Amino acid sequence: MHVFKFGGASVKDATGVRNLELILRKTGFDKHLIVVSAMGKTTNALETVISNYFLNKTQLQSSLQDVKKYHNAILLNLFDDVSHPVFKRTSALFDELNSFFDRNKSPDYNFVYDQVIGYGELVSTVIVSEYLNYVGIKNNWLDVRDCIKTDNFYRRANVDWEATQAAIHTQCNTSILNITQGFLGSDANNFTTTLGREGSDYTAAIFAYCLNAQAVSIWKDVPGVLNADPRYFDNAQLLHKISYREAIELAFYGASVIHPKTLQPLQQKEIPLYVKSFNHPDEPGTSVSKGMGIEPLIPCYIVKKNQVLIALSSLDFSYIVEDNISEIFSLLHVYKMKVNVIQNSAISFSVCVENNYNNLPELLQHLKAKFKVECHEEVSLYTIRHYDQEAIAQLELGKVILLKQLTQETMQMVAK
Ligand code: ADP
Ligand code: ASP
Ligand code: MG
């Protein structure tokens, strides 16, 4: 069994869906399971729909129409005959979504989010599956919610591995081609859950783990894992081979080409991961597997934008030690700040965080009661794995450096 994952960018339009077909014809497709994300930026568009449902009801239907129109244009391009059943199947999904809005009584944003957001993946997989059948690639459409079982921590659900393993074994016929949705799962009451934004890579890894797959290939808009995000760095170079350990580190520091949870299940069963270009499917891309660190061994650059650097010092020149540090961390936890770097000295403590839930003012207010607080918003966190002095010097050029930290393999700095 080989697991493929096609992300939103690979199926953003009809050309993308046709290209997926071409890739399957090249690689072969028996005994494959294909995980597909929502098309293009559909997940963002559905986030707007959800926000309108709660905060701006008058815009709800028009934002939903935008999502429908986008998919309809793709359908009309792919299928000559408007009486093809795919039109009914997709419009039935949108009807189901509308009736959820009519019926729903839950005020829980996270719950509603998960019930709505998954329609992006449901619609995209229906289109891809029907299209492949239409062009003669017979396949089985699987509802991933019958396969991946989770707790009910909506928007960031945790996999129930035992239940998932059992469900996948019952649901999945491994001798044929299966098409299913990334990102989604379901809880014990069969409500839809999601694995966190960009979670479809992780879906592919969950299936690979449970099916003891031979390999996973994720098809991206880049040639593979590069030594830097090409959106922010010129001349990014392809990494041909990296170890699980190295890939886990890169993903942890923020190399967003692989979802950080993807590697661990693959590493446990030593299932290789190939990151390949959907535009150049014949190129080898990057292979992530057991073994040596990184080839070629060159500095790797990672940027995380929109960070907040909070520098705390004691009001009375007393030391910042265990008890204050534990208090600071419990506040960071309460206000759901994701901590990316910490640094401390005798009387000061700095922490670089992500303010994902807009709790910064409350946190600062709380901290100010105890410490002298300096806060820098909208700073960036730069990481260089396998740094050398030249790489650091180049990166520092023209930046105001607020914090810098070096370990043997990794340099991190917070800068403006
Ligand atoms: P998907 O279509 O599967 O959702 P993503 O958009 O999540 O794909 O991932 C691909 C993007 O990741 C690339 O377009 C690139 O901008 C970004 N990226 C960040 N870091 C790296 C890196 N080190 N190597 C390659 N791409 C990277
Ligand atoms: N469609 C989801 C997202 O955009 C999941 C994914 O693409 O991985 O976050
Ligand atoms: Mg993505």
Side-chain angles (χ1 to χ4, degrees):
M1 195 76 181
H2 197 138
V3 179
F4 279 1
K5 180 254 170 169
F6 287 91
S10 68
V11 289
K12 69 176 194 303
D13 51 23
T15 312
V17 178
R18 291 198 175 89
N19 185 51
L20 184 157
E21 174 203 345
L22 281 184
I23 291 175
L24 294 188
R25 293 200 189 278
K26 266 182 201 280
T27 58
F29 45 80
D30 280 345
K31 299 187 181 180
H32 274 59
L33 180 130
I34 299 187
V35 173
V36 185
S37 299
M39 293 176 152
K41 303 278 179 215
T42 299
T43 305
N44 292 354
L46 285 170
E47 283 190 344
T48 305
V49 169
I50 296 159
S51 153
N52 286 341
Y53 172 71
F54 279 102
L55 305 166
N56 195 2
K57 276 245 160 62
T58 56
Q59 296 302 307
L60 175 65
Q61 283 307 323
S62 78
S63 55
L64 200 51
Q65 277 305 324
D66 292 342
V67 179
K68 278 193 205 172
K69 272 192 220 147
Y70 166 70
H71 288 93
N72 218 42
I74 295 176
L75 281 170
L76 289 171
N77 191 313
L78 291 173
F79 298 88
D80 296 326
D81 178 4
V82 289
S83 66
H84 189 283
V86 69
F87 289 92
K88 277 217 173 100
R89 265 185 90 186
T90 48
S91 74
L93 285 169
F94 285 113
D95 291 346
E96 201 179 285
L97 176 53
N98 259 319
S99 78
F100 169 80
F101 284 132
D102 290 341
R103 259 190 359 257
N104 175 61
K105 298 213 164 46
S106 171
D108 177 348
Y109 199 99
N110 294 341
F111 168 78
V112 170
Y113 181 102
D114 276 4
Q115 306 323 300
V116 174
I117 206 84
Y119 281 90
E121 269 72 11
L122 291 168
V123 173
S124 76
T125 51
V126 163
I127 297 176
V128 170
S129 166
E130 290 280 9
Y131 174 75
L132 292 175
N133 277 324
Y134 185 61
V135 295
I137 300 182
K138 295 289 167 242
N139 66 86
N140 174 43
W141 183 89
L142 262 181
D143 189 328
V144 77
R145 297 168 298 179
D146 298 331
C147 299
I148 294 185
K149 299 303 293 182
T150 69
D151 63 9
N152 63 359
F153 196 63
Y154 297 111
R155 294 183 76 174
R156 231 176 41 214
N158 301 294
V159 174
D160 175 342
W161 285 95
E162 224 171 281
T164 299
Q165 177 84 56
I168 286 181
H169 276 279
T170 340
Q171 296 293 327
C172 212
N173 175 351
T174 53
S175 54
I176 55 170
L177 170 63
N178 295 280
I179 311 278
T180 198
Q181 307 80 42
F183 184 43
L184 314 180
S186 69
D187 66 13
N189 293 317
N190 293 324
F191 285 111
T192 308
T193 56
T194 60
L195 305 171
R197 283 300 309 263
E198 303 297 332
S200 299
D201 293 347
Y202 183 39
T203 305
I206 296 167
F207 273 102
Y209 179 93
C210 293
L211 293 168
N212 290 316
Q214 233 177 314
V216 175
S217 301
I218 54 181
W219 299 89
K220 300 271 174 177
D221 60 353
V222 279
V225 180
L226 307 171
N227 75 326
D229 187 337
R231 284 174 301 178
Y232 307 124
F233 291 87
D234 296 333
N235 310 320
Q237 278 174 263
L238 179 66
L239 303 173
H240 302 288
K241 284 185 183 166
I242 47 182
S243 64
Y244 293 114
R245 163 82 204 280
E246 191 63 43
I248 286 169
E249 297 267 359
L250 290 173
F252 170 80
Y253 287 116
S256 59
V257 63
I258 308 176
H259 187 276
K261 283 187 173 174
T262 310
L263 279 319
Q264 198 245 355
L266 299 181
Q267 183 260 336
Q268 270 189 44
K269 289 204 174 168
E270 296 186 4
I271 300 167
L273 169 71
Y274 300 105
V275 182
K276 288 175 62 98
S277 159
F278 59 73
N279 287 318
H280 304 282
D282 296 324
E283 303 279 315
T286 301
S287 84
V288 182
S289 59
K290 193 182 163 193
M292 57 166 293
I294 178 165
E295 191 192 305
L297 180 57
I298 47 175
C300 298
Y301 303 81
I302 301 144
V303 194
K304 279 190 178 217
K305 302 211 166 206
N306 295 320
Q307 305 287 298
V308 180
L309 181 68
I310 304 171
L312 306 172
S313 46
S314 50
L315 291 166
D316 56 0
F317 278 84
S318 60
Y319 292 135
I320 296 205
V321 285
E322 297 83 351
D323 51 346
N324 331 55
I325 292 178
S326 82
E327 191 183 353
I328 295 166
F329 264 94
S330 79
L331 287 174
L332 292 169
H333 179 70
V334 167
Y335 291 109
K336 292 189 177 155
M337 296 288 165
K338 180 163 186 296
V339 176
N340 288 327
V341 185
I342 54 171
Q343 192 167 65
N344 69 315
S345 73
I347 58 161
S348 76
F349 184 88
S350 296
V351 57
C352 177
V353 298
E354 266 168 57
N355 176 25
N356 292 329
Y357 296 87
N358 298 322
N359 290 331
L360 187 64
E362 291 88 341
L363 170 70
L364 292 178
Q365 201 180 4
H366 224 126
L367 288 169
K368 277 178 183 160
K370 291 258 172 165
F371 303 97
K372 187 167 159 268
V373 180
E374 213 184 301
C375 177
H376 302 270
E377 293 184 53
E378 306 218 350
V379 295
S380 297
L381 169 63
Y382 296 88
T383 303
I384 313 181
R385 292 270 301 158
H386 313 292
Y387 62 87
D388 56 31
Q389 288 316 317
E390 193 192 325
I392 296 179
Q394 266 199 355
L395 191 63
E396 285 182 350
L397 265 182
K399 298 189 179 74
V400 179
I401 292 138
L402 303 166
L403 179 151
K404 186 169 164 183
Q405 216 169 63
L406 280 97
T407 59
Q408 207 171 3
E409 280 174 331
T410 308
M411 190 281 310
Q412 291 200 286
M413 72 183 198
V414 177
K416 272 207 253 210

